[in-house]
Amino acid sequence: MAQAKSNSPQNDIEQLSEQISTLRADIASISETLYDLGRSSGDAAIDGARRKAADLRDEGERQLRAARHHAEDMGQQATDAVRAQPAAAVGIAVGVGFLLGFMTGRK
């Protein structure tokens, strides 16, 4: 970029103007590249967050189905136990009711 001495000040001014124009174009190109890079990084981050959210939603739904299935199994076991031993079930229910009434009753 450095050149030997030129013959006239007008020639120097023209060369300087050309260099400034070149620098402006280079800066504009760099700015555009940085903008594109930032935009693509942002898009990638958004896509990653969406994928993670979808994965978490799917895992939550799977856990909900498993918990529902487990609760249904426990309900069925309780029903079977009451049918197999109704007197014991009534005794336990009375005892739990008495205990809760005693604990929550006013004194």
Side-chain angles (χ1 to χ4, degrees):
M1 292 209 169
Q3 297 179 354
K5 288 187 177 180
S6 58
N7 296 337
S8 69
Q10 183 64 28
N11 193 18
D12 289 342
I13 292 172
E14 288 173 6
Q15 287 180 352
L16 187 57
S17 293
E18 288 175 14
Q19 290 176 355
I20 289 173
S21 295
T22 303
L23 284 173
R24 283 183 182 157
D26 289 346
I27 289 173
S29 176
I30 290 171
S31 295
E32 186 176 329
T33 301
L34 288 174
Y35 174 78
D36 292 342
L37 179 62
R39 187 171 183 91
S40 65
S41 295
D43 291 343
I46 289 170
D47 289 343
R50 285 183 180 151
R51 279 193 305 273
K52 185 67 173 173
D55 291 346
L56 289 173
R57 183 188 65 234
D58 293 343
E59 179 64 20
E61 289 174 354
R62 188 185 70 75
Q63 291 289 337
L64 179 62
R65 282 191 304 274
R68 186 177 297 140
H69 180 68
H70 185 66
E72 288 171 356
D73 285 348
M74 291 186 70
Q76 186 60 43
Q77 287 176 0
T79 300
D80 293 344
V82 168
R83 286 186 180 147
Q85 299 175 344
V90 169
I92 290 172
V94 168
V96 169
F98 177 75
L99 183 61
L100 287 174
F102 181 74
M103 289 173 36
T104 60
R106 296 184 186 188
K107 293 181 183 184

